[in-house]
Amino acid sequence: MFIETLTHYYGIDWLASSLAVLMIYFLGNHYRIGFYFGVAANLTWLIFAVLSASPPIFLSNTLFLFLNLRGIRKWKANPAATQPSGV
C-alpha cells in the first residue's frame, strides 16, 4: 500500500516537488538557475495534472510557468537589478 501510494503517478509528483524545492532554494540565494528549476517543476506538475485529471493544478501551473519564463526574461534584461546588495 505504501509503495503504491508513492508510485501512483509514476513518481511525477515527487519529481515536481523536488524541483520546486530546488527552485525556492536557488532563487532564495539569488541564482537565476532557480527559474529554470521552476520551469522544470511546472512542466512536471502539468504532466501530473493531466495524469490526475486536475484542472486547478493544470491552470495554476500554466500561470506559474509563464511567471517563471517572465523571471528568466527579466533577469537577462537587467541582471544588476536582481543582484543582492550588501550581502
Side-chain angles (χ1 to χ4, degrees):
M1 168 103 170
F2 180 71
I3 297 297
E4 182 181 318
T5 302
L6 290 177
T7 60
H8 183 72
Y9 294 105
Y10 310 104
I12 296 292
D13 48 348
W14 289 98
L15 175 61
S17 295
S18 300
L19 291 168
V21 168
L22 288 170
M23 172 193 71
I24 293 167
Y25 175 80
F26 283 113
L27 288 177
N29 287 320
H30 301 277
Y31 290 109
R32 182 177 65 195
I33 194 170
F35 288 113
Y36 292 101
F37 278 109
V39 168
N42 296 137
L43 292 173
T44 53
W45 278 121
L46 289 173
I47 294 168
F48 173 79
V50 170
L51 290 174
S52 64
S54 176
I57 293 174
F58 189 88
L59 177 62
S60 64
N61 277 279
T62 300
L63 296 173
F64 298 150
L65 175 63
F66 285 113
L67 290 173
N68 276 308
L69 293 172
R70 177 183 177 268
I72 291 169
R73 190 185 82 235
K74 289 185 81 59
W75 192 300
K76 286 183 180 179
N78 191 4
T82 57
Q83 295 297 320
S85 59
V87 178

